[in-house]
Amino acid sequence: AQSVTQPDIHITVSEGASLELRCNYSYGATPYLFWYVQSPGQGLQLLLKYFSGDTLVQGIKGFEAEFKRSQSSFNLRKPSVHWSDAAEYFCAAFTGGGNKLTFGTGTQLKVEL
Amino acid sequence: AAGVIQSPRHLIKEKRETATLKCYPIPRHDTVYWYQQGPGQDPQFLISFYEKMQSDKGSIPDRFSAQQFSDYHSELNMSSLELGDSALYFCASSFSPSGGYTDTQYFGPGTRLTVL
């Protein structure tokens, strides 16, 4: 079955430290991959997406993600975290021709000052 | 830039009542999706419409129905509400230029439904 897995439910980092959030997918073909961020009580904001081409994609707010086909991964990174980055982060995917997003269970990021 | 608009933002209903959620997609977007996010859960796909026709269906209860209108806005109708329907309901929209290819989905702020 097609699935998206985020192994880390909670992550705590200090402000200014680097961040990596993990995402793995299980699809027959390479899916279209997304990272969304959700602040408490808010909607889902698109951070970045990967459709094809360069495996390192840049997003908003200083985030980037790297697609690694051999590891079926699409990890999200940020070199220096800000307190305002505290939120829940969802990795999501769909396959070409299908149009429903499958989400991972999310990673709750806490930033310590 | 214009975003997806959802109304109402908050809704409180009693059990067995009916609710209607509305979604206004980004201008020129032709595809609308509905997702349900329960407390502490990830969003789950309910249903989608492309050019006013249902294009995909997920785990949507039979008590729910939805449609997309000629101006591309969509409504999710929920009847015989149950306590378990309490959730955040997201609408997303995208532009699908060739019908079969689906572009990025942009989400609205959600409607928080509380069933008492």
Side-chain angles (χ1 to χ4, degrees), chain B residues 41-94:
Chain B
Q41 305 294 314
D42 56 291
Q44 296 291 317
F45 172 76
L46 292 177
I47 196 166
S48 62
F49 293 87
Y50 167 69
E51 285 290 346
K52 293 149 281 185
M53 299 289 290
Q54 181 181 308
S55 55
D56 203 351
K57 192 172 181 179
S59 50
I60 183 170
D62 292 341
R63 299 178 288 107
F64 294 6
S65 64
Q67 59 181 340
Q68 185 180 31
F69 294 85
S70 57
D71 64 350
Y72 294 100
H73 94 272
S74 177
E75 294 183 4
L76 177 66
N77 297 291
M78 310 159 70
S79 63
S80 302
L81 287 169
E82 302 174 357
L83 296 178
D85 296 328
S86 295
L88 192 55
Y89 290 84
F90 287 111
C91 172
S93 73
S94 70

Side-chain angles (χ1 to χ4, degrees), chain A residues 8 13 15-16 19 54 59 76 82 86 88 100 110-111 113:
Chain A
D8 305 305
V13 299
E15 189 176 35
L19 171 70
D54 193 347
L76 181 72
H82 188 263
E88 184 147 29
K100 58 183 179 184
K110 179 180 177 181
V111 180
L113 300 176

